[in-house]
Amino acid sequence: MSDSTPDQTSTTSQGGDVARLRTAVERHMPRGLADLAELVAIPSIADPQVVPPERCTEAALWVRDALRDLGIDSELVPTPDGTDAVIGYREGPAGSPTVLLYAHYDVQPPLDEAAWTTPPFELTERGGRLYGRGAADCKGNIVAHLTALRALRDEAEAAGTDGYPVTLRVVVEGSEEQGTGGLEQYLLAHPDELPADVVLVADAGNVAEGVPTLTTSLRGSADIDVEVRTLAGPLHSGQYGGAAPDPLGALIAMLASLRDGDGVVTVDGLDASGTWDGAQYDPETFRKDASILDGVEITGRGTVSDTLWARPALTVTGIDGPRVVGAVNAVQASARAHLNLRVPPGTDPAEAQDLLVAHLERRVPWGAHLKIDRDAPGKPFSARTDGPAFAVLGRALADAFGVDSTVTAGEGGSIPLCSVFQEVNPDAEIVLMGCEEPAALIHAPNESVSPHEIEKLALGEALFLTRLGAATA
């Protein structure tokens, strides 16, 4: 990505606070990495079909106890989807702003464990990186929060005090990865419970390792499950094939209508022409980050940034059909697929979902029976970038990483909670950051994190909280 675009946050060094806090963060990093090993060892997947719910509770209790050790009054709060959020509070100096620190302790399933070079739930160092499910997304960010707070406790003790420079609220949830919306539902039902002036969402990352980045845009989501059924049961393809309607073939034809030859989304009525006017994602860097094979084209038209951050994306993330190995010569009775539709800010995800459903309904061949189940839509998010906290955070991260400026960028993923934070705290500055840079391979086998990213993120956060408190003292 370019680091010379006009939407960067310029920085100036603040002198001694950088060196002093850097020393404090370095002192606490060994404990932070030990914490990360303990957290990764807990397979906190919020799906009882994969892991017993007690493992998620174990992770929640771990986070609660770590926050209590830092003097932050914390409790487990049940949310409507059955998961627990850890919610903590610590009053700051009189008149100080309130900063909410967010992360999540739940993780994605490991997928194909055979594809992992080392065990997914055993933090393993290799080539300077730490491998394990959740190491970056999002347990590395929990560790960054804890390390920053420990450094600030050192500052307070050196000054003969026992607090933090701002009022702190901490929220670490347990169902972000499954998208069941427990914390979102809880906040909407209790809109006055977590007031904040600034919300730091530590569930994003840098455009490249060592390049401090604030994420200002997220796509929303509008997923559906599609089932096509044509027969009461499978039939011998020799006896019946050719006249018996093949539901898998019907589904494939329907899915093929959702994109054109360049890979641009072609859902009837859905705008796919948006442009991104911020930092640009260099195509060759993207090819490397995405591990695109030689000779394979990048899909979409326009810039990579347009495609990722300003336009809808539609991905077939799951399909039910017979496996190739052991396949039987039969016409199937039904076929099913899960479609992940992402939409940029400015697009209503519920309306986009309606358009997708209507598009498929118009293209069902042979009178096949169609069933569509909708996931709850998640709203896209666009952050304010003109507030004082945004500028202070940009300077703090740049000083922590030892560079001139902090980059702002979009993110193609979805975090519906950000829109809920925006709804319940309409005047708050909400910013995303984190340790999940491209090499982390989040959601994939061999997820990893750079310990340097955790360390610098923790330093940047400690600098931010210190400077924000000083500015309002």
Side-chain angles (χ1 to χ4, degrees), residues 211-245:
V211 181
T213 306
L214 294 176
T215 298
T216 60
S217 173
L218 296 168
R219 289 191 290 205
S221 60
D223 290 12
I224 63 172
D225 285 329
V226 183
E227 182 180 44
V228 178
R229 184 172 290 277
T230 60
L231 302 169
L235 297 172
H236 190 289
S237 60
Q239 284 184 292
Y240 296 98

Side-chain angles (χ1 to χ4, degrees), residues 253-274:
M254 293 165 63
L255 298 181
S257 73
L258 297 172
R259 286 176 290 210
D260 68 14
D262 292 325
V264 175
V265 173
T266 53
V267 173
D268 296 339
L270 186 60
D271 181 24
S273 63

Side-chain angles (χ1 to χ4, degrees), residues 75-88 100 169-175 180-195 417 420-421 424:
E75 300 292 344
L76 267 62
V77 177
T79 70
D81 69 356
T83 61
D84 292 312
V86 183
I87 298 182
L100 189 156
R169 295 186 184 278
V170 183
V171 180
V172 183
E173 69 160 310
S175 62
T180 48
L183 183 58
E184 292 101 291
Q185 296 169 56
Y186 179 83
L187 289 177
L188 290 172
H190 305 83
D192 300 323
E193 186 161 325
L194 295 173
L417 180 65
V420 176
F421 276 140
V424 300

Side-chain angles (χ1 to χ4, degrees), residues 35-47 51-68 74-77 83-87 103-108 121 133-134 137-140 142-143 146 170-175:
D35 286 347
L36 185 60
E38 290 184 19
L39 278 170
V40 167
I42 304 172
S44 46
I45 301 165
D47 184 346
V51 169
E54 291 78 14
R55 302 314 303 270
C56 287
T57 302
E58 181 183 350
L61 290 169
W62 191 102
V63 173
R64 182 203 65 181
D65 293 345
L67 292 173
R68 286 181 175 180
S74 304
E75 300 292 344
L76 267 62
V77 177
T83 61
D84 292 312
V86 183
I87 298 182
H104 63 85
Y105 62 79
D106 66 307
V107 299
Q108 284 281 333
F121 295 108
R133 175 56 88 219
D137 183 18
C138 182
K139 292 174 177 178
I142 294 174
V143 168
L146 295 175
V170 183
V171 180
V172 183
E173 69 160 310
S175 62

Side-chain angles (χ1 to χ4, degrees), residues 72-441:
I72 298 170
D73 186 17
S74 304
E75 300 292 344
L76 267 62
V77 177
T79 70
D81 69 356
T83 61
D84 292 312
V86 183
I87 298 182
Y89 178 75
R90 176 66 183 255
E91 184 74 28
S96 64
T98 298
V99 178
L100 189 156
L101 307 178
Y102 167 87
H104 63 85
Y105 62 79
D106 66 307
V107 299
Q108 284 281 333
L111 301 175
D112 181 8
E113 294 199 29
W116 285 77
T117 303
T118 52
F121 295 108
E122 181 180 318
L123 192 69
T124 307
E125 190 275 335
R126 191 166 72 251
R129 297 185 68 88
L130 301 173
Y131 288 79
R133 175 56 88 219
D137 183 18
C138 182
K139 292 174 177 178
N141 292 317
I142 294 174
V143 168
H145 281 325
L146 295 175
T147 304
L149 295 176
R150 287 169 183 151
L152 292 177
R153 291 279 280 189
D154 287 358
E155 289 281 284
E157 290 175 4
T161 62
D162 185 33
Y164 294 95
V166 299
T167 293
L168 288 174
R169 295 186 184 278
V170 183
V171 180
V172 183
E173 69 160 310
S175 62
E176 194 277 337
E177 296 293 6
Q178 291 300 315
T180 48
L183 183 58
E184 292 101 291
Q185 296 169 56
Y186 179 83
L187 289 177
L188 290 172
H190 305 83
D192 300 323
E193 186 161 325
L194 295 173
D197 300 297
V198 182
V199 180
L200 294 188
V201 177
D203 191 19
N206 295 336
V207 296
E209 186 176 347
V211 181
T213 306
L214 294 176
T215 298
T216 60
S217 173
L218 296 168
R219 289 191 290 205
S221 60
D223 290 12
I224 63 172
D225 285 329
V226 183
E227 182 180 44
V228 178
R229 184 172 290 277
T230 60
L231 302 169
L235 297 172
H236 190 289
S237 60
Q239 284 184 292
Y240 296 98
D246 174 9
L248 188 55
L251 179 62
I252 290 169
M254 293 165 63
L255 298 181
S257 73
L258 297 172
R259 286 176 290 210
D260 68 14
D262 292 325
V264 175
V265 173
T266 53
V267 173
D268 296 339
L270 186 60
D271 181 24
S273 63
T275 57
W276 177 260
D277 58 5
Q280 295 298 308
Y281 205 149
D282 175 71
E284 289 308 310
T285 301
F286 176 75
R287 290 188 68 89
K288 179 180 177 182
D289 290 344
S291 301
I292 297 176
L293 299 179
D294 290 345
V296 178
E297 299 175 359
I298 297 173
T299 51
R301 289 188 291 271
T303 69
V304 171
S305 298
D306 293 341
T307 302
L308 290 180
W309 304 330
R311 296 176 181 176
L314 205 156
T315 307
V316 182
T317 57
I319 193 162
D320 289 341
R323 295 173 59 88
V324 171
V325 177
V328 176
N329 290 331
V331 181
Q332 298 303 309
S334 65
R336 194 164 62 129
H338 184 82
L339 305 185
N340 171 230
L341 176 60
R342 309 267 184 171
V343 296
T347 299
D348 184 301
E351 293 179 3
Q353 193 176 60
D354 288 342
L355 291 172
L356 174 58
V357 169
H359 177 104
L360 293 169
E361 287 175 340
R362 284 192 290 269
R363 288 167 173 79
V364 183
W366 317 317
H369 294 186
L370 177 67
K371 179 185 177 184
I372 294 180
D373 294 320
R374 304 175 185 232
D375 286 0
K379 294 181 180 179
F381 170 77
S382 184
R384 289 175 48 201
T385 59
D386 58 353
F390 187 87
V392 173
L393 181 58
R395 287 193 297 270
L397 286 174
D399 287 349
F401 279 79
V403 297
D404 291 335
S405 56
T406 292
V407 171
T408 61
E411 166 60 55
S414 305
I415 307 177
L417 180 65
C418 288
S419 296
V420 176
F421 276 140
Q422 203 168 49
E423 183 173 340
V424 300
N425 282 310
D427 297 324
E429 294 185 60
I430 303 169
V431 189
L432 293 99
M433 61 183 194
C435 60
E436 305 165 19
E437 38 77 38
L441 294 179

